[in-house]
Amino acid sequence: MNRARVPWQRLPAPVVDLVLVAVAAVDVWLNMWEHTRLGVALAALGCAALAFRRRFPLAVFLLTLPIALMQDIAVAVLVALFTLAERSRNRRLLVACIALTAVAGSTPWPLADVDRTMTLVNFVYSFATAAAPVLFGQLLQAQRDLARRLVEIEEAREHERALHAQAVLARERAQLAREMHDVVSHQVSLIAVRAGALQVATKDADAKEAARTIRSLSVTTLDELRTMVTLLRASGGKATELTPQPTLADLRKLVESSGTHTELSGELPPAVGTPAQRALYRTVQEALTNVRKHAPGATARVELWQDGDHVGVTVANTAPTRPSLALPGSQQGLVGLRERADILHGTLEAGPTVEGGYRVRLRIPPSAD
């Protein structure tokens, strides 16, 4: 919450304090009844103490109190009272300070014959005068409290809106998880069953191997789909943290079950972080999926490498040996890989090769998180 500030609030605090010390000194010099050596010393001490009013408001007030004995209305005392009231929440202390100021202001100085009537009038007048800065200081304190409370209310509302948005997102994730489970898993399960039946029924070795590969890929897809459904339903809860995620240890199994003749080479240090391992795995997975879909008959090569402070993987395939089937594709796989690489402060390069194949290259820091 932004509020307009009055001109004196824009000045640095030390400047304001020095101005108040100067004004209080001029006030004492012009209005003190008698400039005795003791009176001047006490007044100088009280005026100089105003420079420390923010850190020691009560002590500064007590040091300025003698000035009230030597003149009717002392600027130093009023400033000290205002500062104390602005910072203190002890109402009894503030009332006591007002009373002390009234007593000091109504006491004759130097001591002489006391006129009780005039002393009483001076006491009431001094009490009312001292109460004014105290009330003003308490008003500013209440204004600051109200401003802080309004900020807290606004923050609470923002938090409530964020919680509501998270709840909406959780419902959408749950709905998406149900749709994925009900539609996609059903279709993939049928593919796995049909492939298994074909593997048993066919006598052709190539057809049997193709059916085995299809069934293996379908089962793997179902497992990853169940993991994704669990992630969506968890919506950031503990289940998300406990869900196993693929690492480089699973890379050889991924290559062997890819359905493409693929060669895996190279190795990475064990210090590669889990997010980086996951990014490398997903890059290989997406690249081999694209080879299987768009380059039938091609061979692929997966190479893990380290380059200075970075690690990476390169997946390259040869040109296809037969026409590819018209399979649906949204080009979102590579987009997702680039976004993942950007998040991990890495780069992803993808494009055709001069030999007619395709190459995907990921480069990320090993400790990316």
Side-chain angles (χ1 to χ4, degrees):
M1 179 181 298
N2 295 324
R3 293 178 300 164
R5 303 179 65 183
V6 295
W8 63 270
Q9 288 180 318
R10 300 191 185 100
L11 295 176
V15 175
V16 175
D17 292 339
L18 290 177
V19 171
L20 290 176
V21 169
V23 172
V26 172
D27 172 68
V28 168
W29 183 259
L30 295 178
N31 298 308
M32 194 185 328
W33 294 326
E34 293 185 9
H35 291 78
T36 61
R37 180 174 299 179
L38 177 60
V40 171
L42 293 176
L45 179 62
C47 293
L50 290 179
F52 306 95
R53 64 190 182 93
R54 302 175 191 273
R55 296 185 60 185
F56 311 105
L58 181 58
V60 170
F61 165 73
L62 295 177
L63 289 175
T64 60
L65 193 59
I67 302 178
L69 295 169
M70 297 176 284
Q71 65 182 80
D72 290 330
I73 301 176
V75 172
V77 180
L78 299 182
V79 171
L81 277 173
F82 167 77
T83 305
L84 180 62
E86 188 186 15
R87 282 163 167 71
S88 176
R89 298 182 183 276
N90 191 337
R91 302 293 174 80
R92 293 182 179 179
L93 174 63
L94 295 178
V95 172
C97 291
I98 294 174
L100 284 175
T101 305
V103 170
S106 59
T107 300
W109 184 267
L111 293 176
D113 295 336
V114 178
D115 186 341
R116 294 183 179 180
T117 302
M118 288 302 302
T119 300
L120 180 59
V121 171
N122 289 334
F123 177 83
V124 174
Y125 176 75
S126 299
F127 192 93
T129 303
V134 171
L135 293 176
F136 185 53
Q138 289 284 282
L139 178 62
L140 288 184
Q141 184 184 102
Q143 184 184 22
R144 286 198 302 266
D145 292 343
L146 179 60
R148 283 194 297 267
R149 181 59 180 163
L150 290 176
V151 171
E152 292 174 358
I153 292 174
E154 185 62 27
E155 291 176 351
R157 287 179 178 174
E158 289 292 337
H159 182 64
E160 183 180 356
R161 284 193 286 267
L163 292 178
H164 177 70
Q166 291 178 4
V168 173
L169 181 60
R171 288 196 297 269
E172 292 177 352
R173 286 180 173 178
Q175 182 179 0
L176 180 59
R178 287 194 298 270
E179 293 295 330
M180 291 178 61
H181 183 272
D182 295 343
V183 178
V184 182
S185 65
H186 175 69
Q187 301 295 337
V188 177
S189 299
L190 288 179
I191 294 174
V193 171
R194 293 296 180 88
L198 179 61
Q199 182 181 359
V200 174
T202 187
K203 301 299 183 181
D204 184 82
D206 292 338
K208 186 183 290 290
E209 178 63 21
R212 186 196 67 80
T213 301
I214 293 173
R215 185 175 184 277
S216 175
L217 292 175
S218 300
V219 172
T220 302
T221 302
L222 279 175
D223 290 339
E224 293 194 358
L225 179 62
R226 293 189 184 99
T227 300
M228 185 60 64
V229 169
T230 303
L231 285 171
L232 290 173
R233 286 178 174 169
S235 186
K238 294 182 179 179
T240 302
E241 301 170 2
L242 300 177
T243 301
Q245 295 294 311
T247 62
L248 292 178
D250 306 310
L251 197 56
R252 185 166 296 279
K253 181 179 178 181
L254 172 66
V255 170
E256 292 174 352
S257 62
S258 64
T260 302
H261 182 72
T262 306
E263 179 184 352
L264 176 62
S265 63
E267 61 181 18
L268 294 176
V272 177
T274 300
Q277 292 190 42
R278 192 179 309 157
L280 294 168
Y281 180 93
R282 293 302 184 192
T283 300
V284 175
Q285 182 183 44
E286 178 65 22
L288 293 180
T289 299
N290 289 338
V291 172
R292 189 170 60 249
K293 290 170 57 178
H294 305 298
T299 61
R301 177 181 177 85
V302 177
E303 181 184 1
L304 299 173
W305 46 267
Q306 185 173 8
D307 178 19
D309 295 335
H310 290 76
V311 296
V313 63
T314 301
V315 183
N317 62 274
T318 60
T321 59
R322 57 180 183 271
S324 61
L325 299 176
L327 297 176
S330 61
Q331 302 294 325
Q332 294 301 312
L334 291 178
V335 173
L337 292 180
R338 284 195 176 91
E339 292 175 350
R340 186 190 293 267
D342 289 340
I343 292 174
L344 298 178
H345 308 290
T347 57
L348 181 81
E349 301 174 358
T353 62
V354 294
E355 295 83 6
Y358 203 85
R359 187 181 71 170
V360 177
R361 185 175 185 270
L362 174 69
R363 183 174 185 266
I364 55 175
S367 59
D369 54 5

